[in-house]
Amino acid sequence: MTSPLRLAVVGHTNTGKTSLLRTLTRDAGFGEVSARPSTTRHVEGANLLVDGACVVELYDTPGMEDAIGLLDTIDALAHDGERLDGPARIERFLHSPQAHERFEQEAKVLRQMLASDAALVVIDARDPVLAKFRDELNILASCGRPLLPVLNFIHAPGNREQAWRDALARIGLHAIIGFDTVAPEIDGERRLLEKLITLLDAHREPLRRLITAREQEAAERLAAGHRLIAELLVDCAAAQRRVAHDDPVITQQAVEQLRETIRRRETACVTALIDLYRFRPEDVVIKGLPMLDGRWSDDLFSPEALKRMGIRLGKGALAGAMTGIGIDLVVGGMTLGAATILGAVAGGLWQAVGHYGERLLGTMRGHHTLTVDDAILRLLAIRQGWLLNALSRRGHAAFEPLKLDDPDVQRWRKAALPETLRSARLHPEWSTLNAGFSAGPAREEALSRLTHEHPDH
């Protein structure tokens, strides 16, 4: 087939039609979503593409507000002894004065129904099955197009999913899908498209291609997200600042500057992840990052933030104002003090650590190297992993602030840091936060390795 499948998204006012469109198009800015009734006043369209070609055209329609009155009007237009099928009855109504006056909004829906190949009928499963809803379904069925009822809000307490399934079966609608537009299940979109295939065999091939393309896109987005987190961790692990150790004021200033640099780098990662999943900045607060209770205000270098995560500061990190910053030379992931360095030199190990000779010499001359403590790297990995997990599961129609689950983070809490990050400690040129940054093949190999080492949340 060369022509795209035309799908009308229809239903009663305020059931989540626009929300479904946002979720399917991955576009949080599509249309207007509101708790107010009759938010959508006109038909709006969107396309689903595969390899740049449109395979599905989606049409958002206004809510049907007076189905009882509309059905009475359609019936009143019938002549005695007349036997018209459903589409003919709808066409006659659309040519009547009432379609341009009292039922103008409903007429827009029915015109789009007749112009489409099928329709997704969005139903709020929390609503009781009222007469007006049954009349609405009868009118939509009269258009002669395949209908796939989409039961929205099926996870809400007190939903009436089974009552709706029973009511739909009574009018011959047995292919039904439960699909929460705000918090869709991981395989929700696939199941919806497969249901459409059962109704529209002629569109089987393009819908199959769309399923494959969507799953591939999801996998690529997740891999790109892990890559962004890997870049953040390598940047922070390799970040270094040299200061004079005998001037506490200068040291404190350098510590705070490095901490602020790390904060900004983390925020840049947050922004990149939000962009990757096509959310708007206002959809996620990015002043801080999430903790166990879902707040986004805890400072990365707060001892309380680390305590909440069950992360202990390493021996090289100073308490109080310098939390999260290691002082002196870092070798192999451990912070070495001046006494340790002098002992190494006296023991004849100078050649063994020749790669670090310049920094060792600088330390002996009164300089220190500031680095990011292992505990902060662990916290960064956990926080960004949580964010990636939440974004990958979040519907683009969600109203509520981003809430995060508590996935298994034991690896980052207690296990040894990945070898790649320990190696990054020895390569300050790998960090975009350092003056001598160099994007060489060794850094690229390290990033690729860490991307696959990062645990899936």
Side-chain angles (χ1 to χ4, degrees), residues 272-292:
L273 287 172
I274 292 171
D275 289 344
L276 176 65
Y277 278 86
R278 295 184 65 183
F279 286 100
R280 299 166 300 183
E282 59 266 29
D283 293 325
V284 183
V285 180
I286 60 173
K287 290 193 304 182
L289 285 183
M291 306 308 297
L292 284 170

Side-chain angles (χ1 to χ4, degrees), residues 195-267:
K195 285 281 188 179
L196 281 174
I197 289 175
T198 64
L199 296 175
L200 303 162
D201 187 68
H203 293 270
R204 175 181 297 272
E205 180 56 31
L207 286 174
R208 284 290 182 196
R209 288 171 47 220
L210 180 58
I211 290 173
T212 301
R214 284 304 182 95
E215 292 181 343
Q216 182 178 345
E217 289 168 7
E220 290 174 352
R221 270 194 304 272
L222 188 61
H226 284 310
R227 167 75 183 208
L228 289 171
I229 296 174
E231 291 174 347
L232 166 71
L233 295 176
V234 167
D235 272 350
C236 294
Q240 296 183 1
R241 297 294 184 273
R242 178 177 289 187
V243 296
H245 81 279
D246 55 355
D247 189 331
V249 174
I250 293 178
T251 298
Q252 179 59 51
Q253 291 175 346
V255 165
E256 187 51 47
Q257 288 172 0
L258 180 56
R259 289 164 76 177
E260 184 58 29
T261 297
I262 300 303
R263 290 187 190 102
R264 288 197 301 268
R265 180 63 183 85
E266 184 185 33
T267 299

Side-chain angles (χ1 to χ4, degrees), residues 377-395:
L377 297 180
R378 296 179 187 277
L379 186 55
L380 285 168
I382 291 173
R383 283 156 52 132
Q384 297 300 314
W386 275 4
L387 177 59
L388 177 58
N389 177 66
L391 290 172
S392 66
R393 296 171 180 266
R394 182 178 175 83

Side-chain angles (χ1 to χ4, degrees), residues 286-307:
I286 60 173
K287 290 193 304 182
L289 285 183
M291 306 308 297
L292 284 170
D293 57 3
R295 293 186 296 112
W296 291 70
S297 58
D298 291 38
D299 181 69
L300 176 65
F301 293 92
S302 163
E304 183 64 22
L306 293 163
K307 182 179 179 181

